[in-house]
Amino acid sequence: MKRVGWLWLAALALFVGGVLGVQEREVTLRFQFVPNQIRTYEQRVDGEMAMTMQVAGQEVAFTMTAKGEMTETERIESVDKEGVATFVVTSKGRMKLETSGLPPEAEVPPEEEEEIPPTTVRLKVNPLGKIVEAKMERLPEKVAAPSSPFKGSLPAFQIQGALWHSVLFPEKPVRVGDSWDMSGSMDFTVKDRTVKVDYKGSGRLLAFEKVDERECAVVETTSEIPDLSDLIVGFFPEEARKSGVQIHVSTEGKMTGKVWFDIANGLSVRSSETTDMTSNVSLSLPTGQSFSMSMQGTFRRERRLVKVAEAKVEK
């Protein structure tokens, strides 16, 4: 009996020591960038939103839901002596939209599925995850009609957090339970127009877990949706703005999520986000006609790393 008691106490001591060791473990979280490396992520997005439109004095309310699958490819072009990497990020996929509640005369199909046109963004990102510089290099050839805001606003949703993989790491090492600020600003260029985007948020180290045999730090993130009004307006055709069309956009909301970060290799291997947001859009035409739309919805995104490869370098 005494032997059993000692064994039980020894096991308990090992367990407690292991738990305390995990709690006291201190890590420095940094992204690592390798020139010519290509990282491929698969994303699943879905959401639902209640919409109200005012057209020619008539109000129409309806509901729209969306489900989509996307592939995001990150190609690292170069890394400077400060560790800042220049990326080319290309996104494409398919989106399925379902609309309910519209009157028959609206002539909008209740279900629609189509490709999400490729979008290319050039980024400069530092090891903390801060986007130093961003430029939209390739926009969809067609801008979605106001009745399809999921498609039209997708580029803005993709950079809504204004952070690399929706996380910004602290300068100092952290332990499980530690929190830090993720607020700042960035410049985003669309069609030779540069827009300053301010963002606010916080991060917290939740735990250490293994994902596909990779030891990961699990980081909880919370952030406000930055003011993207100037950025979204930049997606509208230039011809429309030159003709005297007045466009006003306002957005607000909150995003919560988790990031599973491979500590040894310095990259995100999995993330999940939920965004609750409200958006209002109004158009005024030179003819005196006007259009307005308000939207309140919830969007979810799951992202997972599926491949890391090396780009072929031409000699």
Side-chain angles (χ1 to χ4, degrees), residues 94-157:
R94 297 191 65 83
M95 182 75 75
K96 180 179 180 181
L97 301 172
E98 294 184 4
T99 306
S100 60
L102 278 171
E105 59 268 23
E107 298 183 354
V108 175
E111 185 175 307
E112 183 181 6
E113 184 173 358
E114 62 179 62
E115 289 188 9
I116 300 170
T119 301
T120 301
V121 183
R122 182 178 294 274
L123 301 173
K124 288 188 177 181
V125 185
N126 74 11
L128 294 177
K130 177 179 173 57
I131 298 177
V132 179
E133 184 180 307
K135 182 177 182 180
M136 189 74 73
E137 291 201 332
R138 182 180 181 184
L139 284 167
E141 295 179 1
K142 296 181 180 180
V143 176
S147 60
S148 302
F150 265 110
K151 294 176 286 183
S153 302
L154 194 59
F157 289 139

Side-chain angles (χ1 to χ4, degrees), residues 202 204 315:
S202 62
R204 183 166 70 97
K315 297 182 179 180

Side-chain angles (χ1 to χ4, degrees), residues 12-32:
L12 179 61
L14 288 172
F15 173 76
V16 172
V19 171
L20 292 176
V22 170
Q23 289 178 338
E24 290 301 317
R25 181 183 177 186
E26 192 174 66
V27 293
T28 299
L29 302 174
R30 294 290 186 273
F31 283 98
Q32 298 177 30

Side-chain angles (χ1 to χ4, degrees), residues 15 47-48 53 62 110 125 181 187 223 252 256 265 277:
F15 173 76
E48 59 277 333
M53 298 172 59
F62 59 98
V125 185
D181 183 53
D187 291 331
S223 59
E252 61 179 14
T256 58
N265 294 290
M277 69 177 296

